[in-house]
């Protein structure tokens, strides 16, 4: 038994529908600009350019249903995304084999300090301060592949206080889930426990303290997050 010189941070475990056992999170990867209409609203070129990725921290995933409004920002945006939870990984995975590595899927939010991100982009600096802050990835319970299959189409929505803000379809993804996994595995060695956020449809916008955010994906139910 390894002895640690200071108290060890707790492991991050996410709830799984149908069991009391939790999913142990290793790394969190996010793809940028993966729906054409969102790419356009962020000022990008919707043509199929190479995908790019950034990371959040495992403990940024928060299943509590509460999002504490972060400090250092006055413009925090919602991005509804489907999360892929990996059961296995590897390097250089083939597109045809990629889905065999998936454990399940969940509803997720890629909360973003948009004002901070705009400044970092202008300075050509990395995005962690905009993306990887505490509680920045509210997440619903994981649905196993046995329960939901591999969702490739179906409505993905986000509402704030009952008003729809984002309304897209999973089939609008520029890079599909098997391609995202294969591409990511060229750069990083993936492993069971990794979670991949697959991008957001258009309609991103600001949340305020007191807002109730509800996200939904066909086949994965819905998940509510209260902004505090
Ligand atoms: Mn995103």
């Amino acid at each position: 038994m390894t002895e640690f010189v200071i108290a060890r941070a707790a492991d991050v475990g996410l709830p799984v529908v149908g069991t009391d056992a939790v999913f142990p999170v290793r790394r969190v990867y996010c793809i940028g600009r993966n729906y054409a209409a969102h790419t356009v609203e962020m000022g990008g070129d919707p043509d199929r350019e190479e995908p790019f990725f950034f990371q959040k921290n495992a403990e940024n995933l928060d299943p509590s249903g509460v999002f504490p409004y972060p400090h250092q920002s006055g413009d925090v945006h919602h991005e509804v995304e489907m999360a892929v939870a990996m059961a296995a990984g590897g390097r250089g995975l083939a597109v045809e084999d990629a889905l065999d590595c998936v454990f399940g899927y969940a509803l997720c939010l890629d909360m973003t300090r948009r004002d901070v991100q705009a400044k970092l982009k202008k300075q050509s600096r990395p995005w962690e301060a905009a993306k990887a802050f505490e509680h920045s990835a509210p997440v619903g319970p994981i649905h196993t592949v046995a329960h939901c299959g591999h969702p490739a189409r179906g409505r993905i929505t986000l509402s704030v206080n009952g008003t729809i803000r984002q309304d897209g379809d999973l089939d609008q993804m520029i890079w599909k889930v098997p391609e995202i996994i294969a591409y990511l595995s060229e750069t990083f060695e993936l492993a069971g426990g990794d979670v991949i956020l697959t991008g957001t449809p258009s309609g991103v916008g600001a949340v305020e303290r007191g807002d109730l955010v509800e996200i939904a994906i066909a086949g994965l139910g819905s998940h509510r997050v209260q902004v505090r």
Side-chain angles (χ1 to χ4, degrees), residues 30-33 38 54 79-81 110 112 131 197 199-200:
C30 311
I31 188 169
R33 297 183 176 179
H38 173 62
F54 57 91
E79 297 187 358
V80 60
E81 314 208 0
D110 168 16
T112 303
K131 289 289 196 180
L197 274 60
T200 195

